[in-house]
């Protein structure tokens, strides 16, 4: 885990990490959220809608933005203030997602960094993008 | 689960549901996200930072927005396109959160609804707000 102070963080600073989406993560997200939508739960429903398999919850992929702030930049001193995510392409179980973030702004008066981030799948396709505001404790 | 068609949805339509945040949900979110930040994991760290206990992941509360779209409005035919969440006040384990959403816009050309949503804790305090765009399959 990184432990950057506000002063150590700089515009242009980047971080990157990857995770594979598993069936178990899908089950856990369903329990946390209560989102039992069949697009995420039933293979046959997803196929009827034209997808090759169950579609991964957009907000499960966005959980990576929590990790980006809380573990990478700023890391330990992070207090997430907002996450604005856009879902650009469907994600499927077994996909390996890579989350990349870059600090684009520092707001000294409120000790806040603004991070632009994207998530790509194993084929390099952009599946999500976000703007994240994080306070630095 | 609701199964509204695009035509049945209307501006002004609302939905509401509640969930209690448990320790188990915190553990599951940690595993899904990889966010091992001590603000969410360690009582003593959170107290040192001035909180009464471990702070609930902002993005765990945002999982309720996935449920709002996928189960309530539009329900079964939902395809989430974006969730822009702002975290307004800290949430703690044991809090009961109520998520309320209202359709504020229908975009016929892309069969999309725009929902404004808020999450309040058991004291009525607004802890999160969001703008959600959902396609209707």
């Amino acid at each position: 885990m990184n432990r950057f102070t506000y002063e150590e963080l700089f515009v242009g600073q980047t971080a990157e990490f990857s995770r594979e989406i598993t069936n178990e993560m899908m089950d856990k997200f369903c329990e946390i959220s209560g989102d039992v939508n069949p697009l995420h739960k039933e293979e046959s429903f997803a196929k009827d809608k034209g997808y090759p398999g169950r579609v991964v919850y957009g907000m499960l992929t966005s959980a990576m933005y929590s990790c980006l702030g809380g573990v990478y930049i700023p890391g330990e001193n992070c207090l997430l203030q907002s996450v604005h995510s856009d879902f650009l392409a469907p994600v499927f179980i077994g996909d390996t997602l890579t989350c990349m973030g870059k600090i684009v702004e520092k707001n000294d008066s409120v000790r806040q960094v603004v991070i632009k981030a994207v998530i790509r799948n194993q084929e390099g396709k952009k599946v999500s993008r976000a703007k994240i505001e994080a306070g630095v404790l």
Side-chain angles (χ1 to χ4, degrees), chain A:
Chain A
M1 163 150 347
N2 292 326
R3 290 179 179 81
F4 294 115
T5 63
Y6 180 75
E7 289 69 23
E8 288 169 335
L9 295 162
F10 59 91
V11 171
Q13 191 170 356
T14 60
E16 177 181 328
F17 66 100
S18 298
R19 277 181 96 72
E20 185 185 338
I21 304 293
T22 65
N23 201 39
E24 201 184 10
M25 290 159 80
M26 288 289 282
D27 289 347
K28 283 177 180 159
F29 189 85
C30 180
E31 288 163 32
I32 288 174
S33 64
D35 186 354
V36 293
N37 191 291
L39 191 66
H40 310 298
K41 300 281 288 175
E42 292 170 25
E43 193 82 8
S44 59
F45 183 91
K47 286 186 169 168
D48 282 352
K49 297 293 183 186
Y51 296 101
R54 293 159 58 201
V55 177
V56 171
Y57 296 94
M59 292 304 281
L60 191 164
T61 64
S62 290
M64 292 181 88
Y65 297 129
S66 182
C67 186
L68 179 68
V71 175
Y72 292 91
I73 41 175
E76 188 172 279
N77 299 308
C78 176
L79 184 69
L80 274 193
Q81 296 170 335
S82 73
V83 176
H84 289 193
S85 350
D86 298 307
F87 310 124
L88 307 175
V91 173
F92 303 100
I93 296 163
D95 281 359
T96 297
L97 303 183
T98 299
C99 178
M100 298 176 62
K102 183 196 260 191
I103 297 177
V104 295
E105 209 176 300
K106 278 185 81 177
N107 295 313
D108 295 350
S109 61
V110 284
R111 294 176 66 82
Q112 178 203 67
V113 292
V114 180
I115 300 164
K116 289 224 173 152
V118 295
I119 299 174
R120 292 177 192 273
N121 68 13
Q122 63 281 354
E123 288 155 6
K125 189 175 175 68
K126 204 184 286 182
V127 298
S128 171
R129 71 171 164 237
K131 181 184 169 196
I132 301 162
E133 293 173 325
V136 186
L137 292 174

